[in-house]
Amino acid sequence: KRLFLILTSFLIFGVSASLQAQSANQTYTLATEDGERLFHLHVPPQADDEAVPLVIALHPMASSGNAMRALTGLNEAADEYGFAVAYPQALSFYWDDGRAAAGMLADDGEIDDIEFINTMIDTIAEEANIDTERVHLTGLAQGGTMAYRLACAMPERFVSVAIIGALMWSYQPDD
């Protein structure tokens, strides 16, 4: 009987901890002019007590926000250091980092990724306890070239930008 109570207590604790952990990860869909846009959001437990910074992590070409989450391990760091992480999803095979305007991807036309990220930040601010004065941006490979474009298009939104494995292309300074 005593063993049963101990095991039941562990089971109840484990289930409640599991439910709390699941509630920290949400998937959102935003309706935009370009279509339905998706992003994943991880909010650390610290956000229950105070506004936390937000890190936006942009995935490389031919990848996804969910793959970026798995590649980076940022959720674990977010829980340890107290920041939220958003993993937006490109609508197409790539982010529109300016190459459509440069005529490099004319078949797909321009996708307004700048407005998507801007709207995503506003949506996250409504849904979670984040400090909108501490929004950080990072991107890997082609996500990095999109981070360059975002940093130039709306520098007031980001306090820092970290580009990993990407160079600025010649068409980007003009855009």
Side-chain angles (χ1 to χ4, degrees):
K1 186 174 180 178
R2 190 174 193 204
L3 180 60
F4 175 76
L5 289 173
I6 292 171
L7 290 175
T8 304
S9 297
F10 281 127
L11 179 62
I12 291 170
F13 174 75
V15 169
S16 66
S18 173
L19 291 174
Q20 288 173 349
Q22 289 175 355
S23 68
N25 295 294
Q26 298 277 334
T27 299
Y28 293 86
T29 303
L30 296 176
T32 70
E33 289 184 18
D34 296 320
E36 295 288 314
R37 302 299 303 265
L38 176 78
F39 69 93
H40 305 284
L41 177 64
H42 176 81
V43 180
Q46 295 90 325
D48 292 342
D49 301 322
E50 63 183 292
V52 296
L54 172 65
V55 173
I56 299 170
L58 302 175
H59 63 79
M61 182 180 283
S63 189
S64 69
N66 206 31
M68 188 68 169
R69 178 200 50 77
L71 284 171
T72 63
L74 281 172
N75 285 5
E76 293 78 18
D79 287 343
E80 183 176 346
Y81 296 105
F83 60 89
V85 188
Y87 305 95
Q89 174 77 36
L91 186 61
S92 184
F93 184 68
Y94 64 93
W95 293 104
D96 187 357
D97 58 2
R99 58 184 83 203
M104 296 179 68
L105 296 169
D107 58 326
D108 288 339
E110 290 186 47
I111 297 170
D112 197 350
D113 284 325
I114 293 172
E115 185 56 31
F116 165 54
I117 299 298
N118 199 34
T119 302
M120 182 190 74
I121 294 168
D122 292 340
T123 301
I124 293 169
E126 292 171 7
E127 297 290 325
N129 191 12
I130 65 157
D131 181 349
T132 57
E133 299 296 316
R134 296 186 295 162
V135 178
H136 306 269
L137 178 64
T138 188
L140 174 61
Q142 205 260 327
T145 60
M146 184 63 204
Y148 280 131
R149 184 168 189 219
L150 288 165
C152 292
M154 45 188 205
E156 69 286 349
R157 292 303 306 241
F158 309 108
V159 294
S160 71
V161 180
I163 310 299
I164 299 122
L167 299 172
M168 186 176 281
W169 294 93
S170 60
Y171 61 82
Q172 289 175 309
D174 294 336
D175 189 47

